[in-house]
Amino acid sequence: MIVWENFGSMEDTVFCGVFNGHGPYGHVIAKRVRDLLPLKLGSHLESYLSCEEVFKEISLNTADRMTSDGLVQISANGESGVYNKDQDMVQMLLTSIVKAYRFMDKELKMQVDVDCFCSGTTTVTMVKQGQHLVVGNIGDSRAVLDTRNKENKLVPFQLTEDLKPDVQAEAARIKRCRGRIFALWDEPGVARLWLPNHNSPGLAMARAFGEFCLKDFGLIYVPDVSYRRLTEKDEFVVLATDWIWDVLTNEEVVEIVAKAPTRCTAGRALVEAAVRNWRWKFPTSKSMAAL
């Protein structure tokens, strides 16, 4: 993970990211992405290419996303619904995130000291610049915003979609590329991505950095990108891997964090609650060690 204040040498700008490695060298890849991705993104905030080129790339790999007040996502036709006086800033953030992700995956492919063929990492990143909030996501980590509704009650608002292989748009792309999707008999609720002619590697996500054995069969690095203009009703955002979301609901996470007296204790309380739930729901699982 990383938290970087005054990101890109811009005041009131924060970059946050969570990276969850998988495969034999996933831990190495996650750290490398954590170290390199924000550097490249920071440079893109200074100079970025045409928005149309990036929007076209996204349109080839994403489907329409549901939108709501304040949340704008790039649709399948490549159009952006962001229209306000800060349009240039928003477009810069959106396009910079996409281009930084593209650079990162190409950089990993050229690495000679770490094997990225059957290892990779999920990534969820957030840039907050003033009232602008831009989120990029590949994989099944998640970003959830805590906001207040009309009754002034705290409610979670999920900023990202868990990009699993059985999500309709993701599955359609994977099948077009001859990848296979099925769950193992001992975990029927977990759809996995497999090679066309081999029962491997069984990746439980549709997008990731690395994992180049699957890049010709539907796995992509292009992030799902969303924008939200923050208001006084928005209080905090939680970025976490699936080890949290597998055992805690969005509502439970928001409640735990909101009750904590400080940010540090909030993080600790959240992890402790997840560990308890892992032990209760999956008593024979070793997955809680990853927390």
Side-chain angles (χ1 to χ4, degrees):
M1 59 161 286
I2 185 173
V3 177
W4 189 335
E5 296 182 334
N6 295 322
F7 181 68
S9 299
M10 295 190 296
E11 294 183 359
D12 197 21
T13 302
V14 179
F15 173 86
C16 301
V18 170
F19 313 90
N20 186 18
H22 49 265
Y25 304 100
H27 59 294
V28 178
I29 297 171
K31 291 178 180 178
R32 190 151 300 181
V33 173
R34 178 200 64 189
D35 294 340
L36 293 181
L37 182 64
L39 294 177
K40 193 62 179 179
L41 177 58
S43 67
H44 280 158
L45 294 181
E46 298 293 333
S47 59
Y48 62 99
L49 300 179
S50 169
C51 295
E52 292 183 0
E53 177 188 354
V54 179
F55 287 162
K56 182 178 179 180
E57 180 179 1
I58 298 176
S59 70
L60 296 175
N61 295 292
T62 68
D64 289 325
R65 303 297 186 204
M66 294 183 64
T67 62
S68 62
D69 292 342
L71 178 66
V72 181
Q73 291 185 292
I74 298 170
S75 61
N77 60 11
E79 296 178 351
S80 172
V82 180
Y83 299 105
N84 54 51
K85 65 181 181 179
D86 299 318
Q87 184 175 3
D88 287 345
M89 171 61 74
V90 172
Q91 288 184 336
M92 180 181 70
L93 292 172
L94 289 168
T95 57
S96 294
I97 286 178
V98 174
K99 293 191 70 64
Y101 274 58
R102 178 167 60 189
F103 160 85
M104 191 67 250
D105 204 59
K106 291 182 178 180
E107 184 74 10
L108 288 174
K109 194 171 186 179
M110 294 187 295
Q111 299 293 308
V112 295
D113 59 334
V114 58
D115 186 355
C116 302
F117 191 67
C118 291
S119 298
T121 184
T122 68
T123 298
V124 58
T125 57
M126 179 190 79
V127 178
K128 177 186 175 296
Q129 203 287 317
Q131 291 181 295
H132 303 304
L133 184 68
V134 177
V135 179
N137 177 51
I138 55 173
D140 54 5
S141 293
R142 188 184 302 173
V144 173
L145 171 74
D146 172 49
T147 188
R148 292 189 178 273
N149 61 16
K150 295 180 180 179
E151 290 76 34
N152 203 37
K153 294 182 180 179
L154 292 176
V155 293
F157 184 87
Q158 189 167 320
L159 295 168
T160 60
E161 180 176 9
D162 299 342
L163 298 170
K164 306 281 191 178
D166 57 349
V167 172
Q168 184 176 359
E170 307 296 309
R173 182 190 66 250
I174 291 169
K175 291 176 181 178
R176 286 197 304 269
C177 297
R178 299 187 301 115
R180 294 182 300 150
I181 304 169
F182 64 86
L184 297 173
W185 66 270
D186 57 345
E187 48 177 15
V190 182
R192 295 183 178 275
L193 171 57
W194 309 84
L195 291 169
N197 301 313
H198 300 278
N199 289 343
S200 63
L203 191 63
M205 61 211 67
R207 307 190 192 193
F209 286 127
E211 291 286 354
F212 292 106
C213 66
L214 288 169
K215 284 290 165 67
D216 290 332
F217 304 106
L219 184 75
I220 61 174
Y221 64 83
V222 181
D224 208 21
V225 188
S226 62
Y227 166 76
R228 181 183 178 95
R229 186 175 181 85
L230 298 173
T231 71
E232 66 279 359
K233 292 185 178 181
D234 301 326
E235 298 200 356
F236 58 81
V237 177
V238 177
L239 304 182
T241 73
D242 59 330
W243 300 113
I244 295 292
W245 310 112
D246 281 349
V247 293
L248 293 172
T249 65
N250 292 349
E251 289 76 12
E252 289 172 331
V253 167
V254 165
E255 182 179 2
I256 291 169
V257 175
K259 288 181 177 179
T262 66
R263 294 178 183 179
C264 291
T265 55
R268 182 178 298 276
L270 192 58
V271 170
E272 290 175 350
V275 170
R276 287 195 300 270
N277 279 16
W278 269 105
R279 289 172 175 164
W280 175 62
K281 294 183 178 181
F282 308 104
T284 61
S285 175
K286 296 181 180 179
S287 297
M288 62 182 176
L291 293 168

